[in-house]
Amino acid sequence: MTLLDVDSSLGVARLTFRASPGRAPAATPELMDELEAALEALGADGAVERLLLGSDSATAFLVSPPPATIPVQDADLLWEWVRRGRRTLCRLAELPFPTVACIEAPAVGAGFELALACSMRVMVRSATAGVGFLPHEGWMVPAWGGSVRLARRLGPTLAWELLRSAALVPSSLALRWGLADSLAEPGALESVAREVSARRPRWPLIDRWLWALPGGADLLIRRLEGRAGPLSGVERMLLDQVRRGLTWPFDEALEEEGRALVHLAASRFQE
């Protein structure tokens, strides 16, 4: 069964995640295989000038894969799963033309990671559209570059707040924070996505001010620790991912994000 529709006309290509009966589109291994093949073909197509990614579902842009498809009890297979998904999103991020996530319904978990890998995000101005890392089986965390891209876009304070709270950020707040580059009225999403330009990330003033000081990265992390109080093991890991996302080379931060997930899975199944 095809999980992804590909269409191209007049220089604009569209990838649409297809929902199955009673289920939202999910980043299953099958869908990720189709997506990687489509991205490779589009990247080699010199006629493509912009790529729009959307969903035919009214309930979700894209969600994380079902837990049964994630090999959390086998470290080697989990590493392979992490690197496979990360490779696909890096291929998306490295395409030689603008890419736009068109979000009409919640983009959560892996769907949010995919949206962050796009050049831009356009969201429908409504209560149904939102982005975030919602709890997945009570402990699942970003594994395909989401924490790194989020920290670099929002700065440490907002990135940590979003990761720790596991809240869904509505479209109006996403625009204010810089997660959305534009909002569209219902029915006008594609027309806005065809014309939208990327907004430059703008961190909150306190983050910009402390970051400019000598040792600013450490000051910011200590400030977040002080405000948060005692941290759980998962919260400590997420805060470390924010720090690495800002201070480590991009590829190394991505690798460590995946390593942290594999370590977390191993520790949970050894309990």
Side-chain angles (χ1 to χ4, degrees):
M1 173 178 154
T2 300
L3 303 172
L4 187 71
D5 285 336
V6 185
D7 182 37
S8 182
S9 62
L10 300 177
V12 177
R14 291 180 295 277
L15 294 182
T16 304
F17 303 119
R18 297 180 59 185
S20 55
R23 294 186 178 181
T28 60
E30 294 79 13
L31 184 141
M32 297 303 285
D33 283 347
E34 288 189 35
L35 178 60
E36 185 166 17
L39 294 175
E40 184 175 2
L42 290 169
D45 185 346
V48 177
E49 299 175 358
R50 178 172 290 227
L51 171 62
L52 313 183
L53 298 97
S55 169
D56 69 359
S57 170
T59 60
F61 170 76
L62 185 70
V63 299
S64 294
T69 69
I70 305 174
V72 292
Q73 299 189 54
D74 186 310
D76 290 337
L77 291 178
L78 184 57
W79 254 122
E80 181 181 343
W81 177 85
V82 167
R83 287 173 169 151
R84 189 179 184 186
R86 187 175 66 203
R87 182 186 68 227
T88 301
L89 296 199
C90 283
R91 184 182 292 276
L92 170 62
E94 293 164 3
L95 286 172
F97 41 75
T99 55
V100 188
C102 303
I103 301 170
E104 294 186 79
V108 298
F112 187 29
E113 293 198 80
L114 184 142
L116 286 168
C118 291
S119 309
M120 293 164 282
R121 287 148 296 281
V122 175
M123 300 175 66
V124 167
R125 194 189 303 272
S126 76
T128 61
V131 293
F133 291 112
L134 302 187
H136 189 60
E137 289 298 286
W139 62 272
M140 185 60 71
V141 296
W144 294 345
S147 67
V148 180
R149 293 187 173 96
L150 186 70
R152 294 186 174 205
R153 181 148 200 96
L154 294 187
T157 299
L158 292 180
W160 165 237
E161 180 179 330
L162 199 160
L163 286 165
R164 188 186 187 208
S165 67
L168 190 67
V169 180
S171 56
S172 57
L173 185 55
L175 181 67
R176 191 185 320 156
W177 280 7
L179 286 172
D181 295 274
S182 184
L183 301 185
E185 299 301 328
L189 186 60
E190 181 168 333
S191 61
V192 173
R194 283 172 172 264
E195 303 295 334
V196 67
S197 298
R199 297 173 62 195
R200 293 184 61 184
R202 186 171 177 81
W203 294 7
L205 181 60
I206 186 64
D207 284 13
R208 286 182 277 140
W209 181 71
L210 287 175
W211 187 262
L213 297 175
D218 290 336
L219 289 172
L220 277 165
I221 296 302
R222 287 201 298 270
R223 176 175 176 271
L224 296 179
E225 288 175 328
R227 292 173 57 188
L231 300 178
S232 68
V234 172
E235 288 174 329
R236 166 57 59 187
M237 183 188 71
L238 291 171
L239 185 57
D240 286 343
Q241 288 181 188
V242 169
R243 176 181 55 80
R244 289 189 294 264
L246 293 167
T247 60
W248 285 25
F250 184 75
D251 289 344
E252 293 180 22
L254 291 187
E255 184 75 2
E256 191 61 28
E257 179 194 67
R259 185 176 290 112
L261 173 64
V262 173
H263 177 76
L264 175 64
S267 65
R268 287 299 174 95
F269 283 98
Q270 289 171 1
E271 292 176 355

